[in-house]
Amino acid sequence: MIKKTLLLATLTTLPLHAQELVVYTYDSFTSEWGPGPLVEAAFEVECDCDVTFVGTGDGAAMVARLQLEGPGTDADVVLGLDTNLIQAARQTGLFTTAPDDLTQPDLPVAWQDDVFVPFDWSYFAFVYESDVLANVPASFEELAASDISIVIQDPRSSTPGLGLLMWIDALYGDEAGRIWRGLADNIVTVTPGWSEAYGLFLKGEADMVLSYTTSPAYHLIAEEDAGKDSAMFDEGHYLQVEVAAALAGSDQPELAAQFLRFIASQAFQSELPTTQWMYPAYETDLPDGYDTLNVPEVALLQAPELAAERRDAALALWRDALSQ
């Protein structure tokens, strides 16, 4: 009887399990230096719930995982797709409409989508050491004609890699194969994701790396290193808008909707410039140093439907050019 009484007392003092929100995202978001831990802590205070971030590789890998898991996925929210992946994600039929009372984003382009909610953005660019590289190319043509070495990411697994693919496609269309053939001897390697590529650049394995116009802000603010810069191409730079969306099969639909609303909050947005090193998607004060960043004169962005339509042909040109 004493043992039973003690057991009952122990059980009744255990806390009830909070609701859990499962968010699929890319690995760098969940890292200790990424925004994940800060966002998780801030939202858990607001929702009185448990947030579980699940790293899925990069954005393209996230879509592939959802396609494999189907309606039985554990995800309640997906965070980290971009406009080049929106159509493929939409075609899974797994997503639900976002709340209709969301804050309007502050982006370089007009935004209208009833499912996918922007959370950050930047421009793709090649980053280099300004005190090492003397002759900086101002176009893909100039880069291809140079002996500058570059590291890029695989468009089949990486959102920056896919962004580069669509950047060249947007500029050159069916002539993209010629550009890729010209770039083939500049490419040191093609990595699965951004982290691997940027790490090789920092080790001196290449003169330039495909990244973002906002990447130099990290070195300037976190390392007090003003020696990194982004090459400005006269022909324009492709824009990346990263988005989140809620899963239709979520067993926490109200919590998922609350998280989508939370994205526009200062608790979320204010962390992005110094953890994601991207521009916030809603009006937010930027830290000192962002005013020194290069801003492209021409912004390029293909609509999600067009990007999906062009992707396979663009990928075939890329693959053929790099295999020769």
Side-chain angles (χ1 to χ4, degrees), residues 291-319:
D291 57 327
T292 68
L293 299 178
N294 293 327
V295 179
E297 294 185 4
V298 179
L300 305 168
L301 183 65
Q302 293 181 338
E305 297 80 8
L306 179 59
E309 180 182 322
R310 297 286 304 172
R311 179 180 177 179
D312 287 347
L315 187 59
L317 292 175
W318 173 83
R319 190 169 46 241

Side-chain angles (χ1 to χ4, degrees), residues 67-199:
Q67 290 169 333
L68 180 64
E69 293 179 347
T73 181
D74 291 332
D76 299 301
V77 172
V78 164
L79 180 80
L81 305 178
D82 69 7
T83 53
N84 293 322
L85 293 170
I86 280 179
Q87 189 65 9
R90 198 189 307 273
Q91 288 174 347
T92 66
L94 298 176
F95 293 93
T96 189
T97 304
D100 57 11
D101 58 349
L102 295 177
T103 304
Q104 187 65 25
D106 181 21
L107 301 171
V109 294
W111 186 267
Q112 287 187 335
D113 195 295
D114 62 354
V115 173
F116 296 94
V117 179
F119 68 91
D120 70 14
W121 65 276
S122 190
Y123 297 96
F124 293 114
F126 286 94
V127 173
Y128 66 97
E129 293 270 9
S130 57
D131 59 349
V132 173
L133 194 62
N135 299 313
V136 182
S139 69
F140 281 107
E141 299 269 9
E142 290 185 15
L143 177 57
S146 75
D147 60 357
I148 295 171
S149 59
I150 62 175
V151 182
I152 65 171
Q153 299 86 25
D154 194 323
R156 295 165 296 188
S157 59
S158 162
T159 51
L162 181 56
L164 176 60
L165 189 79
M166 304 317 299
W167 183 3
I168 292 177
D169 180 76
L171 288 171
Y172 297 99
D174 294 338
E175 286 292 306
R178 174 177 61 83
I179 299 299
W180 281 116
R181 286 191 294 274
L183 292 173
D185 60 355
N186 299 89
I187 299 172
V188 174
T189 190
V190 179
T191 63
W194 176 88
S195 297
E196 301 95 325
Y198 210 83

Side-chain angles (χ1 to χ4, degrees), residues 115 211 262:
V115 173
S211 193
F262 177 73

